[in-house]
Amino acid sequence: MDDLRDKYISLIANAGDEAALEDLRVQAVGKKGEISLAMRELGKMSAEERQAAGPRLNALKDEINSALAAKKEALGDAALDERLRGEWLDVTLPARGRRQGTIHPISQVTEEVTAIFADMGFAVAEGPQIESDWYNFDALNIPGHHPARAEMDTFYTHRGEGDERPPHVLRTHTSPVQIRAMQDQGAPIRVIAPGRVYRADYDMTHTPMFHQIEGLAIDRDISMANLKWVLEEFVKAFFEVDDVELRFRASHFPFTEPSAEVDIRCSWEGGTLKVGEGDDWLEILGSGMVHPKVLEAGNIDPNEWQGFAFGMGIDRIAMLKYGIPDLRAFFDSDLRWLRHYGFAALDVPTLRGGLSR
Ligand code: DAH
């Protein structure tokens, strides 16, 4: 019995893991274990022998069982220690940045402009970026031979061999949306149309794709005075200044008569732009009273209806408002630039909550 005891106590002490320990348990005190078998021998003994051996065997069984339990607990603690060492985490390390995306300044400014005009009763209209040359030119009173077609550095699509129809173009301005909106909705109408436009041009101040926002208001008695008021309200709200001075310069566009380009008073003192003060003027848009031929192209009777239109460069006014010096950076997809100039995703511009941060 002493041999059995010594053997199992030392085997248990040396067991490497819980599986080895379980094997030992079965070997010693399992149904067919050595100690259980020894207990069965008790039946064959004489009464005296049994009286001496029985309690000792029971004590041995208890001793082995508690050695097994103690070892099992020790092995469990060791396994936990091992796991804690492996999964150790330094909670004092700085957290990793969340790398949230940002809203591009062009999108933000488009939202701002839309919010301002929505407040004045303008709905948003849309048109395709690949446009027929009729919508992009003819309907806007720019006939085939007109120099404006050449001036616009138009991107043309290809027609198939032998297809004599005029090619589609990448729209060179948002003005064709005027025609589509008039055809769709008739008069009276008040819409703005923000979107991408394309011209084959590339330098510091030109990219082959850029953004415009078109405005159109047609009713029975709309005049240049309405145009002036709407634009002044817009500029005050957009640049967040109380007073601005706009300068209407006579100009020419085939689709408006009379036509005006609009400049805004500003100062570049100290290298930063201030809107509403100073002695400089900055052109921000083209505008005018919609030409009767354009109304006709939109199926609106020019003897009954009249109105104004304007077209503004979104990229231009975004650069002005947020002090962004190089137009091309807008479209470089440089993450550092986007993080610097981008807007938080929940920073939705509203007239009540403030247009910009
Ligand atoms: N479409 C013109 C351009 O891209 C801008 C423009 C001028 C739009 C006068 C208008 C307008 O609606 O009335 O240069």
Side-chain angles (χ1 to χ4, degrees), residues 152 172-173 175 178 199 212 214-215 253 255-256 286-288 309-311:
M152 283 218 183
T172 57
H173 48 182
S175 302
Q178 286 186 36
R199 290 180 202 177
Q212 288 189 335
E214 195 78 12
F253 299 103
F255 29 92
T256 42
S287 65
F310 62 86

Side-chain angles (χ1 to χ4, degrees), residues 222-225 227 248-261 286-292 306-310:
I222 288 194
S223 71
M224 287 290 272
L227 170 66
F248 282 67
R249 240 181 325 105
S251 181
H252 174 78
F253 299 103
F255 29 92
T256 42
E257 181 58 40
S259 305
E261 279 174 301
S287 65
M289 295 301 291
V290 179
H291 196 288
Q306 61 181 32
F308 66 75
F310 62 86

Side-chain angles (χ1 to χ4, degrees), residues 176 281 348:
W281 294 94
V348 180

